[in-house]
Amino acid sequence: MLTTLAALVPVILVIACGYLIARIGLITGDQWRGIEKLAYYVLFPAVLFRIIAQADFSSFPTLNMGLSLLASITLMALLLLAVRPAIERIWGIAPERFTSIFQGTLRWNGMIALAIADNVAGEAGLAMLAVAMVFMIPPLNVASILVLLHYAGTTAPSVAKILKDLYTNPFMLSIGAGFVFNFSGITLPFVIDDTLEIFSRAALPIGIICVGAGLDLGSLRRPGPALTMGTFLRPLLMPPLAFGFAWLFGVTGDALVVVVIASSVPCASNAYLLARQMGGDAKLMGEIITLQTLAATVTIPLAMLLFT
């Protein structure tokens, strides 16, 4: 437990620093957008490419770990869709608000997950987290779009647009390039490796500083049923669900730790952008992301204690 807390506390403190930097105005609006783009399009792809290009995938249960995560998000999505009519009937939660609950429960913040995995399991943890992204990013993006399309009543994006969003995702591109390089048997030249390693050292702190800067505590209103469900369904249900499938597929050790990390980190900020673009309840989505990130200071250590 103490080891886990020692790995998590620095991540939490850096998120808090990002929030303070934004609040005092040291870095402002458009400047943050530039920093976020740098992290998203350059720094994190460099981390993922370097780790995947050099990873020994025979040393951990790649397929079983991925299947555990895929099974858990699939089952949770089906459960949410099954109870949606009851949620509307009992609490009066409109369909467009349900889309924010859906995204808040299923989507995950890869930047926070990478930072924690690095602190807990080092480069092996980063490699396994990258594998988790391969299994989770495409189905989660597609599911979120389809749910917003159905319940928010927006114009459908074309299949070509959905596919383009996936194959131009910088995380997916860098992971794919890393796999190609890995299976080619070529060793990264030391100059390239050292250059990417410098990018890697910058990526994790900058990424989680941006997470803190994106928190908007002033937007939080008194929690109602929609905000409560959107905030707490993920941290309460996803870790035990993922742990159960990991046990079923025989996933143990550091791979199990990564499965729990991927299922317990808070929702990603791009869920807010998608909600805004497709007619969902963007305000509720922003509140869920903020409150879930704050709650993660307690819920992630609890998940790690109970399931690893």
Side-chain angles (χ1 to χ4, degrees):
M1 177 61 178
L2 290 177
T3 302
T4 300
L5 283 175
L8 290 172
V9 168
V11 177
I12 293 167
L13 290 176
V14 175
I15 291 174
C17 286
Y19 177 79
L20 290 175
I21 290 169
R23 297 293 80 77
I24 65 176
L26 184 62
I27 299 174
T28 56
D30 288 342
Q31 294 171 327
W32 280 117
R33 303 295 83 76
I35 294 172
E36 288 170 355
K37 286 183 177 180
L38 175 66
Y40 187 70
Y41 288 101
V42 178
L43 300 180
F44 274 93
V47 173
L48 295 170
F49 172 78
R50 177 174 179 266
I51 294 300
I52 290 293
Q54 301 179 99
D56 178 10
F57 291 103
S58 64
S59 65
F60 55 86
T62 303
L63 181 61
N64 287 357
M65 186 182 68
L67 290 176
S68 301
L69 290 166
L70 185 58
S72 62
I73 61 175
T74 300
L75 180 57
M76 180 56 71
L78 293 174
L79 289 172
L80 285 172
L81 292 172
V83 302
R84 194 211 65 79
I87 289 174
E88 183 174 6
R89 184 174 64 254
I90 297 170
W91 288 290
I93 295 174
E96 64 272 12
R97 290 171 68 76
F98 168 77
T99 63
S100 294
I101 296 172
F102 184 90
Q103 288 203 89
T105 304
L106 292 176
R107 303 193 72 157
W108 62 305
N109 193 310
M111 292 184 181
I112 295 178
L114 283 166
I116 296 173
D118 182 45
N119 277 7
V120 173
E123 291 202 351
L126 290 177
M128 288 185 276
L129 212 289
V131 170
M133 289 181 175
V134 173
F135 280 86
M136 295 174 74
I137 288 176
L140 286 177
N141 281 358
V142 172
S144 297
I145 289 170
L146 292 177
V147 165
L148 277 159
L149 172 63
H150 183 73
Y151 292 109
T154 54
T155 304
S158 67
V159 174
K161 174 66 166 58
I162 294 173
L163 291 175
K164 182 181 178 182
D165 287 345
L166 292 176
Y167 70 69
T168 58
N169 181 299
F171 284 23
M172 298 303 292
L173 285 174
S174 58
I175 290 170
F179 274 119
V180 170
F181 203 92
N182 187 302
F183 295 134
S184 72
I186 302 172
T187 302
L188 275 177
F190 75 91
V191 173
I192 301 298
D193 183 48
D194 287 351
T195 301
L196 293 175
E197 202 271 334
I198 293 173
F199 277 112
S200 299
R201 289 201 300 266
L204 298 177
I206 288 177
I208 54 179
I209 282 174
C210 289
V211 170
L215 299 179
D216 184 8
L217 302 185
S219 72
L220 294 176
R221 52 192 161 187
R222 182 177 298 175
L227 179 56
T228 302
M229 281 188 280
T231 299
F232 293 107
L233 283 179
R234 176 172 177 78
L236 292 179
L237 299 184
M238 285 301 295
L241 194 58
F243 172 81
F245 280 112
W247 175 82
L248 186 65
F249 286 107
V251 178
T252 59
D254 284 345
L256 175 61
V257 171
V258 169
V259 167
V260 174
I261 290 171
S263 61
S264 60
V265 292
C267 180
S269 57
N270 56 6
Y272 171 81
L273 299 176
L274 191 62
R276 191 171 62 185
Q277 290 167 4
M278 295 192 63
D281 191 327
K283 178 172 174 54
L284 175 61
M285 191 73 257
E287 292 174 337
I288 289 170
I289 293 167
T290 295
L291 195 53
Q292 212 175 82
T293 303
L294 295 174
T297 59
V298 175
T299 58
I300 294 177
L302 185 60
M304 299 288 284
L305 173 65
L306 294 176
F307 302 112
T308 62

